[in-house]
Amino acid sequence: MDSRAWDERYAASELVWGTEPNRWVVRELAGLAPGRALDLAAGEGRNGIWLAGLGWEVTGLDFSTVALGRAERLTASLPDEVADRLTWRHGDARGFEAPPEGYDLVLVAYLQLPAEDRREALRRAAAALAPGGTLLVVGHDSANLTEGVGGPQDPAVLYTAEDVLADLAGAGLRTVRAERALRPLAAEAGHRGRGGSEGGGAVAIDALVRLERPA
């Protein structure tokens, strides 16, 4: 999907992903000391807003202007001390330029790109990490197409933790965690089963990779 297609998807419903942060983002990042964070493919801002609430200075980047408009509206309702930590930028994960000082955290959550484009985005994300920084990649696992529920039905935009590690081979990062993670879909916004239903015992399969740049 290009930026226009994502604009249409976001415009078709209010808060496609809801306002709660992704469960893996919470699990992996809640204990980190706040610093400078980049939320790539930030969407409507749910993860970036959560990080800002913890004290992070967050730049959220997305190529959907509709999604960014939603993020800005959500930001306007936050306390000033949280809203002031958030900056939303229009841009493409495959071509953004990081500031020279880099980021202490780069988050790539559910970025949906074909393999070559994904590799370019992930290598840029890795290059944006400051020494001691954390890169967290979460996405729809390739196995979700046949063994899980919901998510994209195009295998070209699905991947595994092993694919992420291969994409970032030689980037100088240390692997903290690389796994297939099971995510219950009950009461979770934006993720419907193949028949259009949601909830019950439905489980999605995610790829999760956490890496660090040595200090």
Side-chain angles (χ1 to χ4, degrees):
M1 295 173 70
D2 58 18
S3 59
R4 183 172 63 179
W6 277 107
D7 280 344
E8 291 173 353
R9 179 174 183 182
Y10 282 117
S13 61
E14 186 66 25
L15 291 177
V16 173
W17 312 116
T19 58
E20 294 298 313
N22 171 258
R23 67 170 58 220
W24 310 129
V25 171
V26 173
R27 188 190 78 176
E28 297 296 322
L29 305 181
L32 292 183
R36 302 179 307 278
L38 173 64
D39 184 5
L40 276 183
E44 298 158 311
R46 60 175 181 149
N47 293 317
I49 288 171
W50 177 77
L51 287 167
L54 296 181
W56 290 86
E57 298 287 337
V58 181
T59 298
L61 183 141
D62 202 279
F63 69 179
S64 169
T65 56
V66 175
L68 291 174
R70 298 259 176 86
E72 289 170 350
R73 288 197 293 276
L74 289 174
T75 300
S77 67
L78 299 172
D80 288 346
E81 63 270 21
V82 177
D84 289 347
R85 299 190 195 111
L86 287 158
T87 301
W88 304 109
R89 288 177 48 199
H90 182 256
D92 194 317
R94 297 165 292 185
F96 76 96
E97 297 292 336
E101 65 272 20
Y103 296 95
D104 303 300
L105 167 66
V106 178
L107 171 62
V108 185
Y110 300 97
L111 177 65
Q112 298 176 25
L113 292 172
E116 184 175 345
D117 290 336
R118 182 193 71 235
R119 187 174 302 111
E120 175 63 25
L122 291 182
R123 294 194 72 83
R124 285 182 177 269
L129 275 185
T134 294
L135 171 60
L136 180 63
V137 181
V138 182
H140 302 282
D141 193 278
S142 296
N144 194 63
L145 192 61
T146 55
E147 301 173 34
V149 173
Q153 299 301 293
D154 179 1
V157 300
L158 305 179
Y159 54 88
T160 65
E162 291 74 19
D163 291 331
V164 173
L165 295 179
D167 289 344
L168 295 174
L173 304 183
R174 180 179 70 88
T175 302
V176 177
R177 196 187 318 279
E179 65 184 29
R180 181 184 291 184
L182 303 182
R183 174 170 47 88
L185 295 185
E188 187 168 309
H191 299 283
R192 295 189 176 273
R194 292 181 180 85
S197 62
E198 186 174 0
V203 174
I205 305 173
D206 291 334
L208 186 152
V209 179
R210 177 175 170 179
L211 307 106
E212 292 179 351
R213 182 171 298 287

